[in-house]
Amino acid sequence: MTHPFYVYGSYGFAAAMIITVIAWTWIDGRLRRKEMAALEASGIRRRSQRAPKDKAQ
């Protein structure tokens, strides 16, 4: 009777780890968006948003 306990325990542990990674990624994404918004509000811009330099010199 230990086999079902092992199988269900393994599935439960795997599910808990997947939920933890999803939650961690979601929370970290929200924090990074807030950080980016604060930096952009202070005038710091991303390189990808800068106007391209005129290369015809």
Side-chain angles (χ1 to χ4, degrees), residues 23-44:
W24 182 11
T25 303
W26 182 71
I27 290 168
D28 189 56
R30 288 175 55 99
L31 292 173
R32 296 306 131 229
R33 276 182 262 150
K34 285 181 184 178
E35 186 178 343
M36 287 298 297
L39 289 170
E40 289 177 354
S42 70
I44 298 173

Side-chain angles (χ1 to χ4, degrees), residues 5-57:
F5 177 75
Y6 174 76
V7 171
Y8 294 136
S10 297
Y11 278 121
F13 180 75
M17 291 297 102
I18 290 170
I19 290 169
T20 301
V21 169
I22 290 171
W24 182 11
T25 303
W26 182 71
I27 290 168
D28 189 56
R30 288 175 55 99
L31 292 173
R32 296 306 131 229
R33 276 182 262 150
K34 285 181 184 178
E35 186 178 343
M36 287 298 297
L39 289 170
E40 289 177 354
S42 70
I44 298 173
R45 298 284 183 239
R46 289 181 259 180
R47 279 185 263 169
S48 61
Q49 290 182 339
R50 290 184 186 161
K53 293 181 181 179
D54 185 14
K55 294 191 181 202
Q57 291 182 2

